[in-house]
Amino acid sequence: MARVYNFSAGPAVLPEEVLAEAASEMLDYRGCGMSVMEMSHRSKAFGEIIENAEADLRELIGIPDNYRVLFLQGGASQQFAAVPLNLMKNRVADYVITGAWAKKAFKEAKIYGDARAIASSEDETFSYIPDCSDLDVSADADYVYICENNTIYGTKFHTLPNTKGKDLVADVSSCFLSEPVDIAKYGVMYGGAQKNIGPAGVVISIIREDLIRDDVLEGTPTMLKWKTQADADSLYNTPPAYGIYICGKVFKWLKDQGGLEAMQQRNQEKAALLYDYLDQSKLFRGTVRKEDRSLMNVPFVTGDADLDAAFVAESKAAGLENLKGHRSVGGMRASIYNAMPKAGVEALVAFMDKFEQAHS
Ligand code: PLP
């Protein structure tokens, strides 16, 4: 078996134990005589899968009883519309623009109401998180929106914004379950599963109960109304069943690893290996302001596009895959999600060091 170290930003590396267990259950899920892919989403077996997945997620994060967990489809991008459709009662919302995904969410919200950009780091190519301690929050804002970890630019809100009492909505696609979080600080937290949790096709939204309501914007499609999904326990229609099954296995894996505190410690150690190397390197440099660095996505450059391309090609040949930066920014990016072992980051740093010696 030749597994590579996969630094993809998403879909991304999953724990080998999870993949192996799923493979062992592929033809006969626990005596059912069929794969989870083949079973009715109304079956007892699938009912247990989704209930256990939710219970494990609740336990992992410590989700309070007054929050609902929805397993949805349409990716995080669909929530860019669902958020304003469900929450924009006053048709006003404030957005902090920290990268391409926040911008897309902002653009989508503008379709439905007066979405206002109240802070941005676009002036410096999104290489930092703007000061959000004293934002000019609109008095009638229905919510304040952030993209908590910026997958493309490699920045992370290490302190949540002061929303002046407004509900915080956060896209956590690329930092979901990477560290402990206090859900009570959020009105809505959502993210696509395909980075830190499972396969593409599942988006998980954790929503405070009072924000799940009937009086959504007129014309909201039934499927985009959170209440539809909440009332049906995420089974209003056929859910992304196999994806939810894999997410459930990842939740169990995370519990076995020691939960989110243990993951945070591991993620800090892995990220430190890479950032410490970058900080002393004479060839490579990180592109993000130090205090805003993400633990999950680490962009870096040499400053020479040809050398960057050579690095990407040579690292691929060495079994280090998907290190090319996002097409909009170039350079390199190493995504080091929960399932990336420390040995993978060590192999990357060793390879970078070798490359640096060969090119200096
Ligand atoms: N938000 C963030 C932070 C992302 O990184 C991505 C995808 O990479 C998205 C949203 C879009 O997710 P999806 O492709 O599931 O719509």
Side-chain angles (χ1 to χ4, degrees), residues 7-42:
F7 295 93
S8 169
V13 57
L14 286 171
E16 273 179 23
E17 297 92 320
V18 166
L19 297 175
E21 196 179 285
S24 77
E25 292 172 344
M26 185 61 87
L27 296 180
D28 178 8
Y29 175 75
R30 300 185 186 179
C32 291
M34 64 178 86
S35 159
V36 172
M37 236 181 275
E38 302 167 297
M39 67 178 51
S40 165
H41 59 293
R42 309 278 176 207

Side-chain angles (χ1 to χ4, degrees), residues 255-276:
K255 283 171 67 178
D256 290 346
Q257 302 300 305
L260 301 189
E261 279 87 4
M263 289 322 294
Q264 178 180 40
Q265 199 186 336
R266 248 207 250 175
N267 289 328
Q268 281 169 343
E269 280 167 19
K270 286 188 294 176
L273 276 175
L274 191 45
Y275 285 124
D276 287 350

Side-chain angles (χ1 to χ4, degrees), residues 16 43 58 83 96 139 143 151 161 166 177 183 244 251 271 275 334 346:
E16 273 179 23
S43 63
R58 283 187 172 277
V83 166
V96 180
Y143 58 90
T151 326
K166 303 293 179 189
L177 304 184
I183 292 284
I244 293 169
F251 300 152
Y275 285 124
E346 285 167 347

Side-chain angles (χ1 to χ4, degrees), residues 6-14 101 147-158 171-181 192-198 250 253-254 259-275 278 287-300 321-325 332-342 344-345 348:
N6 177 10
F7 295 93
S8 169
V13 57
L14 286 171
W101 298 114
C147 178
E148 192 163 327
N149 186 82
N150 296 280
T151 326
I152 296 174
Y153 296 94
T155 57
K156 161 95 186 354
F157 281 84
H158 293 296
D171 172 358
V172 298
S173 294
S174 47
C175 58
F176 226 155
L177 304 184
S178 62
E179 59 185 11
V181 287
Q194 70 272 21
K195 296 168 194 303
N196 229 356
I197 300 185
V250 172
W253 179 82
L254 286 167
L260 301 189
E261 279 87 4
M263 289 322 294
Q264 178 180 40
Q265 199 186 336
R266 248 207 250 175
N267 289 328
Q268 281 169 343
E269 280 167 19
K270 286 188 294 176
L273 276 175
L274 191 45
Y275 285 124
L278 285 169
T287 55
V288 169
R289 194 154 83 183
K290 275 190 188 175
E291 57 270 36
D292 299 326
R293 285 169 163 177
S294 165
L295 293 184
M296 297 283 100
N297 311 99
V298 182
F300 55 96
E321 287 266 357
N322 291 314
L323 283 164
K324 196 170 188 299
M332 281 75 70
R333 171 181 51 175
S335 294
I336 49 174
Y337 297 120
N338 283 344
M340 171 60 64
K342 191 173 171 195
V345 183
L348 171 60

Side-chain angles (χ1 to χ4, degrees), residues 215-270:
D215 58 338
V216 297
L217 292 195
E218 212 183 309
T220 298
T222 307
M223 280 285 291
L224 288 188
K225 194 169 158 182
W226 288 329
K227 191 158 191 312
T228 306
Q229 303 287 359
D231 286 350
D233 295 323
S234 302
L235 293 171
Y236 171 74
N237 70 329
T238 318
Y242 197 79
I244 293 169
Y245 156 74
I246 300 290
C247 289
K249 287 199 181 301
V250 172
F251 300 152
K252 289 237 184 299
W253 179 82
L254 286 167
K255 283 171 67 178
D256 290 346
Q257 302 300 305
L260 301 189
E261 279 87 4
M263 289 322 294
Q264 178 180 40
Q265 199 186 336
R266 248 207 250 175
N267 289 328
Q268 281 169 343
E269 280 167 19
K270 286 188 294 176

Side-chain angles (χ1 to χ4, degrees), residues 3 13 100 105 110 138 154 169 195 225 241 283 337 355:
R3 297 264 300 165
V13 57
K110 273 178 168 297
S138 306
V169 176
K195 296 168 194 303
K225 194 169 158 182
L283 183 67
Y337 297 120
F355 186 90

